[in-house]
Amino acid sequence: MSKSTITESKKNPIKPLTTDKKIELYNQKITEMYPRLTCQVNLYQEQIILSQNGRHFAFQVNDKLRERLEKLLLMMDGSRSLSEIQEIIYPKNPEAINEIVHNLDRQGFIDDVVQLRVTSGIDALLELEDLTNNLFNKSLKENHFYKAINLTTGDLPINILYGFAIEYYHLFCHNCFLYSPILSFQGSTKIQQLIKELYFQKYGQDELLLAALNTIGITGDKLIETIPLTETMAMCNGLAYWANFDPLFLLSIQGVLAEKTLEAFESYIHFCEQAELDSCFIKMIKQLITTKLNRESESLTRHIFQEIPHINEEMSQRLRRQIYLFVEIYNNFYKAIWNHYSNTSDLLRRIPTI
């Protein structure tokens, strides 16, 4: 470096940033970021303590500040931008929120605050339904039973028609295990009420199907001594698992599942009439369709997801991944009905003979 350069540098030295200037630049940087706490929040009467790996950071608070600060910390889950949080918590003084976030970040209590793709609940549901329908269209092309049941021409063997009713009876019998766990779904009271309506929509489906089977001599006592097809149990177990461990996913597939079930039964009743099955059997199936298999479930699902404000990208990806498994289980369910009942003269798989 030349002497003149050194002299010039001394005349115009680079001034270090003041604390206020650093905060101003930081505020500009984080306005559209999505802060997420990486520590445990412990709430006490006069202070809030953040704990992480054996170190602690305490806020001394009064009642008024405690409520606002608690709300701020709970909202910092990565789902909202800082500008959204400012608008909700302290719109008159957003700089105060920025300063708190700056201090928490400096202490290492905030994860790398990156922008997340957040989708409204109803938009996420519509995307999932589109994916599900596309996968159904691809995977069910080679499914003999599914293709046959959706045609208005041709016929189906009587054993397959009765087998369809038997396997759906076993499936409907598990409704209590599929829907009772989600009655305690954590959300708004509006969502809980909608889930109750969904539950009552499913309640009694098995009883109407059993009444139909009774007309052809298949009683409840006989069905107790039988077991469903392996693929039917796979459907039951899969739905029961999601009900207990991922209720949001179970709710997300209800609309498509209800629609596909209704379509199948509407075609099914056509084949039953064409095969001139027992009139009482047909009457009970029609009652099942009109009272329990209408499109109300699809409507309820839409209303539920309209009450969910947002679903982040991580959750959306998890839901999408599980759609592939659900479609595979559904496809196998129909394959098994065709493969088994088209090759057997015994409608009931009695436990003693298996």
Side-chain angles (χ1 to χ4, degrees), residues 81 225 250 262 287 341 353:
S81 69
E225 297 178 351
L250 181 70
L262 177 59
Q287 186 176 342
Y341 288 100
T353 61

Side-chain angles (χ1 to χ4, degrees), residues 41 66 161 267 299 307:
V41 180
R66 182 182 186 279
L161 292 175
S267 296
S299 176
E307 295 297 318

Side-chain angles (χ1 to χ4, degrees), residues 210-227:
L210 177 59
L213 291 171
N214 284 341
T215 65
I216 59 171
I218 300 178
T219 64
D221 291 338
K222 289 181 179 179
L223 288 166
I224 289 174
E225 297 178 351
T226 66
I227 61 173

Side-chain angles (χ1 to χ4, degrees), residues 275-332:
E276 298 182 349
L277 298 187
D278 185 274
S279 60
C280 293
F281 178 88
I282 292 175
K283 179 181 178 181
M284 296 310 302
I285 296 296
K286 285 183 176 180
Q287 186 176 342
L288 171 66
I289 293 172
T290 56
T291 61
K292 292 294 182 180
L293 298 181
N294 52 48
R295 288 187 166 81
E296 187 176 341
S297 294
E298 183 179 6
S299 176
L300 287 172
T301 303
R302 297 281 176 88
H303 288 315
I304 289 171
F305 275 80
Q306 283 175 343
E307 295 297 318
I308 298 175
H310 63 266
I311 294 178
N312 62 42
E313 181 61 18
E314 182 181 358
M315 183 179 294
S316 293
Q317 288 179 356
R318 190 191 77 236
L319 297 176
R320 285 196 292 268
R321 286 195 299 268
Q322 294 183 110
I323 291 292
Y324 290 84
L325 177 58
F326 164 65
V327 171
E328 182 180 354
I329 292 173
Y330 187 93
N331 189 13
N332 290 338

Side-chain angles (χ1 to χ4, degrees), residues 99-142:
E99 186 174 354
I100 293 174
V101 172
H102 170 69
N103 290 333
L104 291 174
D105 189 32
R106 188 174 57 189
Q107 294 291 332
F109 289 120
I110 293 182
D111 198 359
D112 292 336
V113 281
V114 295
Q115 187 169 354
L116 300 175
R117 177 175 178 263
V118 179
T119 308
S120 69
I122 187 61
D123 286 340
L125 175 65
L126 294 175
E127 289 179 7
L128 290 171
E129 288 181 346
D130 285 342
L131 173 61
T132 307
N133 284 318
N134 288 336
L135 291 175
F136 272 135
N137 292 336
K138 292 177 182 178
S139 65
L140 297 174
K141 285 182 179 179
E142 304 305 319

Side-chain angles (χ1 to χ4, degrees), residues 166-167 169-170 218-228 347-352 354:
I166 291 169
E167 295 307 316
Y169 168 77
H170 287 301
I218 300 178
T219 64
D221 291 338
K222 289 181 179 179
L223 288 166
I224 289 174
E225 297 178 351
T226 66
I227 61 173
L347 287 176
L348 301 180
R349 301 175 72 228
R350 296 182 181 277
I351 296 174
I354 295 177

Side-chain angles (χ1 to χ4, degrees), residues 129 133 146 150 202 253-266 293-295 297-298 302 330:
E129 288 181 346
N133 284 318
Y146 190 83
N150 283 282
K202 306 293 182 181
I253 61 175
Q254 286 306 303
V256 175
L257 183 58
E259 181 182 6
K260 294 298 181 185
T261 302
L262 177 59
E263 289 175 356
F265 269 88
E266 286 177 338
L293 298 181
N294 52 48
R295 288 187 166 81
S297 294
E298 183 179 6
R302 297 281 176 88
Y330 187 93

